[in-house]
Amino acid sequence: MKKILAILLAGMMTATVFAGCGGGGNTESGGSGSDTQSSSDDGGAEVKDANLVDVSVFGDEDNISLKVWAPDKAVSLVKEQIEAFKAAYPEKTFTKIEVVAQGEGDAGTQLMNDASTAADVFSFASDQLNKLVDAKVIAPVAFAKAVTDMNSEACVTAGTLQDTLYAYPETNDNGYYLVYDKTVVSDEQAGKLEDVLAACKEAGKKFIFNCGNGFYGCTFAFTAGVKIDGLEEDGVTQKFTDYDEAEAVKTLQAFSKLMHEYKGTFTSLDNAQVASGFSTGTLGAGVDGSWNTNADQDALKDNFGAAKLPTINVDGTDKQLISLFGYKYIGVNAASQFPAAAQVLAYYLAGETCQQQRAEKLGWGPSNKNVQGMDVVTKSAVQQAIKQQSENACVQVNIAPTFWDPMGNLGNKLVADDTDPDDAAYFSKLLKDTVANVRDEG
């Protein structure tokens, strides 16, 4: 059986297709986007369209039982998508396809803890790919040509290691942006952090930035010029570009000064507090992730505003805030007992229709090029804000595990009550310690 499946998957790996990659225009239907078929050279698997492969890909797998990990906010939708998936293959018997809530940020760690009991198909963030490949717990994408043709080049590139595509692109928007109440902050004021804070203070509202979370706190270092610049020989340790220490220190001081000047307005809280703050009327603006779009929109309704991150003034110069930006993927467990079915399901969940549904129902940004051209994306203030911010961001790929805590600590130190924003020597040491800790030089 294992030999037969290995041969089947090898054939799947060589499958070539000519999937439709043209713009989706203003289409709002759940069409496949392509009906072109092409088989692999060795007569193996056929990719039928942007959502489905030929039933022959399943080989002799039947009475199929699979587990799927999905983020909490997507569980209901994924269950609906799986019912559609099963209906698309009436020739096959699916004993059970179980959907379990599992955050993308911890999926890689959970998979490596025990791949034999983990999900067959799972969602994960781009920074986990390197360790999944090193641990040999993620299977290469079986339909690499089709997936490459249908999705954005940057997302595919970030999912590729050693010339092998290991991840099915799921989203193209794993980043954060400025969200604001338009009755408090105007679109013009949204461009500058100083103006945002002033508007919030005047209205007696809070501003939330999750300083102590390294995913957000790294913004302070990046804006200061201390940016991720690829990988070192060990494959994960982050390098940093050459930076002007004096300029970096002044930038950190500028952030800290604003935080202290607007104490009581500027608050470092978990992002879960953003939507609830808008709902209770206590929040004027905040920095939030694309995955919370629906909750924020539901809270603000017609007063919902979205923009790229603002600038901060450093010695008379407005500097754009630089964020961390990445992608989310769907992976296949290399230890799956139904490897062919798991690949087929991953292809479906990463396909055009499912990406369009996530864009429409969850507000997630698609990596599929056809869906990127649809109204649900092009007319979305959030997606346009994230697109603009992605041009002012460091890519979240293969982040060292030592990266997160030092960056969160940096944010906490900037906002701490006992920090003196005028103490340049303090910030110089804080900067050096942060870099050393990320590089694990302690």
Side-chain angles (χ1 to χ4, degrees):
M1 171 68 77
K2 291 183 178 178
K3 289 184 178 179
I4 292 173
L5 293 177
I7 293 172
L8 172 65
L9 290 175
M12 291 161 65
M13 285 291 292
T14 60
T16 58
V17 300
F18 298 96
C21 295
N26 294 332
T27 303
E28 292 298 338
S29 64
S32 67
S34 171
D35 58 3
T36 304
Q37 299 184 24
S38 180
S39 302
S40 61
D41 293 338
D42 62 358
E46 282 189 347
V47 172
K48 295 177 66 175
D49 58 30
N51 303 291
L52 302 172
V53 300
D54 192 83
V55 68
S56 64
V57 174
F58 286 92
D60 60 357
E61 291 184 5
D62 212 345
N63 298 313
I64 296 162
S65 180
L66 296 170
K67 182 190 294 184
V68 178
W69 280 346
D72 183 68
K73 291 182 174 65
V75 167
S76 295
L77 177 57
V78 172
K79 288 180 178 179
E80 294 175 11
Q81 292 172 335
I82 284 175
E83 290 306 308
F85 168 77
K86 291 190 293 186
Y89 294 101
E91 307 93 328
K92 288 294 169 183
T93 299
F94 297 94
T95 304
K96 180 174 68 172
I97 301 183
E98 179 184 14
V99 183
V100 178
Q102 171 62 59
E104 300 106 319
D106 297 323
T109 300
Q110 295 302 319
L111 181 67
M112 290 189 295
N113 283 344
D114 188 355
S116 65
T117 61
D120 300 271
V121 179
F122 58 97
S123 296
F124 68 100
S126 53
D127 64 279
Q128 300 173 56
L129 181 62
N130 194 84
K131 64 182 182 182
L132 292 171
V133 173
D134 284 348
K136 296 181 171 56
V137 295
I138 187 171
V141 168
F143 314 101
K145 178 64 164 62
V147 171
T148 298
D149 287 347
M150 290 186 290
N151 291 278
S152 69
E153 181 179 357
C155 194
V156 170
T157 298
T160 301
L161 281 178
Q162 302 162 355
D163 299 323
T164 299
L165 180 62
Y166 281 95
Y168 290 87
E170 181 181 35
T171 77
N172 200 51
D173 69 340
N174 192 24
Y176 38 97
Y177 63 100
L178 180 73
V179 56
Y180 54 97
D181 182 341
K182 287 190 172 186
T183 66
V184 176
V185 178
S186 69
D187 293 341
E188 182 179 7
Q189 289 172 319
K192 295 184 178 184
L193 183 56
E194 295 83 2
D195 291 347
V196 172
L197 291 171
C200 289
K201 182 177 181 179
E202 182 178 354
K205 309 283 187 178
K206 304 288 187 183
F207 171 85
I208 288 179
F209 192 111
N210 194 354
C211 299
N213 183 316
F215 183 65
Y216 304 92
C218 63
T219 294
F220 307 124
F222 292 164
T223 306
V226 188
K227 302 177 185 178
I228 292 174
D229 181 30
L231 309 173
E232 292 189 352
E233 292 180 0
D234 62 10
V236 293
T237 303
Q238 300 300 324
K239 296 188 294 183
F240 295 99
T241 57
D242 293 333
Y243 59 91
D244 183 329
E245 182 179 334
E247 180 64 23
V249 168
K250 285 191 294 185
T251 303
L252 295 180
Q253 286 182 274
F255 276 116
S256 188
K257 182 178 180 180
L258 271 182
M259 294 171 184
H260 286 78
E261 179 182 347
Y262 286 95
K263 181 180 178 180
T265 298
F266 191 110
T267 55
S268 179
L269 294 173
D270 186 88
N271 291 72
Q273 303 298 313
V274 174
S276 62
F278 285 135
S279 295
T280 58
T282 59
L283 189 69
V287 172
D288 207 356
S290 54
W291 48 91
N292 287 328
T293 293
N294 280 2
D296 293 336
Q297 288 179 326
D298 288 345
L300 289 172
K301 298 182 171 53
D302 291 342
N303 296 321
F304 176 86
K308 68 175 178 60
L309 296 185
T311 62
I312 183 171
N313 191 275
V314 181
D315 275 359
T317 300
D318 289 332
K319 298 180 68 172
Q320 173 62 48
L321 267 63
I322 307 297
S323 61
L324 190 63
F325 177 84
Y327 311 95
K328 291 184 181 179
Y329 294 100
I330 295 174
V332 172
N333 187 340
S336 175
Q337 296 300 303
F338 295 90
Q343 291 279 354
V344 177
L345 177 57
Y347 181 82
Y348 180 81
L349 293 175
E352 184 173 312
T353 294
C354 287
Q355 289 210 26
Q356 181 178 344
Q357 290 170 346
R358 287 192 288 270
E360 292 172 341
K361 298 183 179 182
L362 302 177
W364 292 9
S367 59
N368 182 282
K369 290 183 280 191
N370 280 348
V371 184
Q372 287 178 348
M374 295 180 181
D375 278 359
V376 67
V377 176
T378 61
K379 293 185 178 181
S380 165
V382 172
Q383 289 305 314
Q384 295 312 303
I386 290 177
K387 180 180 179 180
Q388 291 177 32
Q389 185 57 39
S390 71
E391 299 167 359
N392 301 285
C394 294
V395 179
Q396 182 184 352
V397 180
N398 301 328
I399 303 294
T402 54
F403 175 86
W404 306 108
D405 286 346
M407 289 298 175
N409 179 67
L410 174 66
N412 281 335
K413 294 293 187 183
L414 294 181
V415 75
D417 288 342
D418 59 357
T419 296
D420 179 2
D422 294 322
D423 189 349
Y426 171 84
F427 286 96
S428 177
K429 185 178 186 304
L430 176 61
L431 176 63
K432 291 174 182 176
D433 288 347
T434 300
V435 171
N437 288 333
V438 169
R439 295 173 65 85
D440 199 22
E441 295 174 348

